[in-house]
Amino acid sequence: MNPRRKSRLYLAIVVLIGVALTATLTLYALRSNIDLFYTPSEILQGKGEDHEKPEVGQRLRIGGMVMPGSVKRDQKTLQVNFKIYDARGVIDVTYTGILPDLFREGQGVVAQGVLGEGNVVNAREVLAKHDEKYTPPEVADAMKENHKGPASAYTAPQNEGGKS
């Protein structure tokens, strides 16, 4: 092989290794910024065919309806505890901050945060649903499927180790 072809081959190999390394590092960095959407029943029973449950400490978004009578506000701080339910489960959510104006019991919400011990979501952001036509398709499908039962059907959370 002549020296010119040899140097071009080495340059091509170095460029390919650089591109592969860059792509790998980019995907690894983005992995920590992915928030998967779950419904309360998917957190309790698992998601998909494998029934894969989220791990404690995993960042996620949870969507459902605010259970009537479950909103508890701390009088000294901005901490709010409430429950989100769907047709098959109830999850406790803790949030510190000012809630959106549209937040109320019986209203659809999406809470973004971290899953804690006892299936409690420590939310860093709570979004109140305004109108169904602005909902992403996968969220709308999950909400239609999971919100067939009335809120009165849920008397206590179905998670292990959670508060009643």
Side-chain angles (χ1 to χ4, degrees), residues 54-118:
E55 300 173 2
V56 172
Q58 179 178 335
R59 290 174 40 158
L60 51 78
R61 289 182 295 153
I62 178 172
M65 305 295 277
V66 178
M67 181 180 285
S70 70
V71 179
K72 307 282 188 257
R73 299 175 190 268
D74 187 346
Q75 299 299 322
K76 297 178 181 154
T77 66
L78 293 175
Q79 185 170 345
V80 180
N81 297 318
F82 57 94
K83 296 176 184 182
I84 295 179
Y85 74 95
D86 67 2
R88 289 170 266 172
V90 179
I91 294 291
D92 291 320
V93 178
T94 300
Y95 175 70
T96 302
I98 298 172
L99 290 167
D101 291 337
L102 294 174
F103 179 90
R104 63 182 170 275
E105 295 175 351
Q107 178 74 23
V109 296
V110 174
Q112 186 170 345
V114 177
L115 183 64
E117 292 290 333

